[in-house]
């Protein structure tokens, strides 16, 4: 998987939002807000390929969670992000 090129995380007050860097990518019908954990993951992911295992590793490194639970949470997050259109399944 990869992040969609041109999308970046911006903090607006206490909120973390995924926003487009250019006008061509802006879709005002879709606003993606991230909680602190999801924002940490987004900022920590490489711009190149990643998968659920990458995210699970980030979760176990930062939080007191076992790998199985982290992998399940990572899979759910990936599905949400695919539906939101902020990552590509490639």
């Amino acid at each position: 998987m990869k992040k969609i090129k041109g999308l970046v995380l911006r903090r607006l007050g206490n909120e973390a939002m995924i926003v487009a860097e250019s006008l061509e990518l802006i879709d005002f019908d879709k606003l993606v807000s991230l909680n602190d954990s999801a924002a940490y993951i987004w900022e920590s992911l490489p711009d190149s390929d990643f998968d659920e295992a990458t995210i699970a590793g980030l979760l176990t490194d930062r939080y007191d969670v076992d790998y199985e639970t982290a992998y399940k949470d990572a899979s759910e997050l990936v599905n949400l992000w695919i539906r939101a259109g902020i990552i590509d399944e490639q």
Side-chain angles (χ1 to χ4, degrees):
M1 288 164 265
K2 289 184 180 182
K3 296 177 187 177
I4 299 295
K5 200 173 226 170
L7 298 179
V8 296
L9 183 125
R10 296 277 189 249
R11 297 198 182 266
L12 308 167
N14 293 331
E15 295 291 320
M17 306 285 291
I18 299 295
V19 297
E21 287 185 306
S22 67
L23 291 175
E24 299 85 42
L25 291 175
I26 293 177
D27 180 355
F28 289 107
D29 292 330
K30 260 192 240 177
L31 291 177
V32 180
S33 176
L34 304 179
N35 66 22
D36 288 337
S37 297
Y40 157 72
I41 292 166
W42 182 270
E43 290 176 317
S44 300
L45 286 173
D47 290 330
S48 58
D49 292 331
F50 62 87
D51 58 14
E52 289 91 343
T54 308
I55 295 171
L58 291 169
L59 290 171
T60 57
D61 287 348
R62 184 169 177 131
Y63 302 103
D64 184 23
V65 61
D66 63 272
Y67 186 81
E68 183 178 309
T69 301
Y71 192 90
K72 180 179 174 274
D73 291 347
S75 295
E76 290 175 13
L77 182 63
V78 162
N79 288 329
L80 287 171
W81 283 0
I82 288 169
R83 285 195 310 265
I86 63 172
I87 62 172
D88 189 1
E89 290 184 80
Q90 305 188 34

